[in-house]
Amino acid sequence: MRINSIQNQNSFKGVTVTTSTGNSGMAIGKNVIIPFDNTARLISENSNGRYDDIKDKTEVFVLAAGKGKRCLPLSHCQGSDVTKVYYGIPDVDRNYRPTGEMNYVLDIPMAMASPFLDNDGLKWKNATKAQGSFAEVISFAKDLREKGLPQKNVIIMCGDNFFDSKVSPGASKKEIEDKKYEITDYLADVARDDSKILGLIGVKRTPEETANNYGCLKAIPTSKDDICKLDGFTEKPKTAELARKFAMDDGNCIANTGSFIMKKEAMEWLLDRIEEDPMFIGKDENELYDFAAASTRVQEHFGADKCSIKLVQDWEDAGQPDTMASLTGEIAKGNYLNALPEDLKRSFQRSAANNYYNDGIQTTILATPEAVGEYETAENLAYYIETTGELPEPTDNVLVKDVEGMYVAGVKD
């Protein structure tokens, strides 16, 4: 799909991608719709009837916007004319020659979402005002209510979150397929289960990894190793000691990946509460609709028995320069690409490998304007590293480090 067809909003249904550009961290500037050439094909190839019974009752949102301070360094280093999680990797052919095209990393979560979409596919929504991570979802729900239409189940996928589903060597075709759809099957199961109201995707992290980085889920084990009940949240514990209070018996915390399903009954309840109190799921007057707050409120009201967590093994939150560097390296190895068709897997892997390794010398620099400092541009910083063979010394507020051969410069918190 090209930009002129995406702008025809009435032509695409089934999933909403929220994006923004020119984001200063406080407000969103002009709207630019970026073409994702693979989306139509992903929908065509992955809409295989697996979830036909819930498609008309379910809306999918891929969140790719927001004022997020955490994502700002990566947004800056990718350029001012792209969205936060647009992340284009220049394409190369089989001989590693540039084709002039781009592989968009956002296509990966789009591919995971595509089995839920109807035949028409995509609805594109540019956020025109920074009102929080759940703003477009609430706007959608309010619109349904105003039109007298029933609410829908809402599936949320974060555009900077990536999941992998590794299988054992020698796995059967069915085992490979079941693993490919492991997460979306869970979301569909929650949608079909009248006893459930909320389902989240979580991943184990040590208390040290969790502190200051991830929202932490209070989990109650069940008879299934990969399913827990959700008994509460804490938003990014400040210390490892605080995080340990939410740890499971094995000592690990359950980090919230930010991907979840919220049932239509919960959406109705949230709308009622927001009408009574506009700040019900708000952080402040600039962020009235926060999805972590929405999930917390729903869990507190409906209780642990109605809220569950699916534990996954492999997850990458690529919203920062160093984690984007790590994801690029994983894609170069062929990981995190399960939802893509085989030829697109190979294309992404070649592109990432070419981007990540160049005759053994890494030339891709991810850096904020502040971090490159006296070098003025990332290109100049790259030239310094290549010609001297050294990393520049970090300053009081600038961090420069080597992430598996990729030089990453970022501003310290």
Side-chain angles (χ1 to χ4, degrees), residues 89-111:
I89 301 178
D91 187 39
V92 293
D93 64 19
R94 293 179 180 179
N95 296 311
Y96 290 87
R97 294 174 301 201
T99 66
E101 301 295 326
M102 298 288 278
N103 281 314
Y104 303 112
V105 180
L106 186 53
D107 274 341
I108 298 172
M110 282 296 303

Side-chain angles (χ1 to χ4, degrees), residues 19 24 33 123 184 200 206 228 241 324 373 377 386 412:
T19 67
S24 70
I33 296 177
K123 186 191 305 175
T184 50
L200 293 91
T206 66
C228 296
E241 190 62 31
M324 181 57 190
T377 68
E386 290 167 22
K412 293 179 181 178

Side-chain angles (χ1 to χ4, degrees), residues 361-367 372 375 377-390 392 407:
I361 301 173
Q362 178 49 244
T363 58
T364 299
I365 304 295
L366 301 178
V372 295
Y375 302 97
T377 68
E379 288 74 18
N380 288 346
L381 180 59
Y383 180 77
Y384 172 87
I385 293 170
E386 290 167 22
T387 54
T388 65
E390 299 176 353
Y407 305 120

Side-chain angles (χ1 to χ4, degrees), residues 2 34 37 68 73 93 103 116 142 163 212 219 251 255 328 377 404:
R2 295 290 179 181
I34 303 296
D37 296 334
D93 64 19
N103 281 314
F116 288 107
K142 285 182 176 179
F163 298 90
N212 287 309
T328 305
T377 68
E404 293 186 1

Side-chain angles (χ1 to χ4, degrees), residues 277-302:
D277 176 9
M279 288 298 297
F280 186 68
I281 57 170
K283 285 186 175 180
D284 53 47
E285 61 183 14
N286 293 317
E287 290 191 74
L288 297 175
Y289 309 112
D290 178 66
F291 75 78
S295 298
T296 299
R297 293 287 199 176
V298 166
Q299 190 280 330
E300 288 173 346
H301 177 73
F302 289 96

Side-chain angles (χ1 to χ4, degrees), residues 47 49 51-58 115-118 152:
S47 295
Y51 310 126
D52 281 355
D53 60 315
I54 60 171
K55 280 184 180 180
D56 62 343
K57 306 170 187 174
T58 305
F116 288 107
L117 311 188
D118 59 31
K152 292 190 175 186

Side-chain angles (χ1 to χ4, degrees), residues 261-278:
I261 179 170
M262 188 174 289
K263 301 286 282 291
K264 57 187 179 181
E265 296 85 355
M267 294 303 300
E268 286 280 11
W269 179 79
L270 278 177
L271 288 181
D272 290 341
R273 301 290 80 74
I274 291 169
E275 286 181 1
E276 297 169 358
D277 176 9

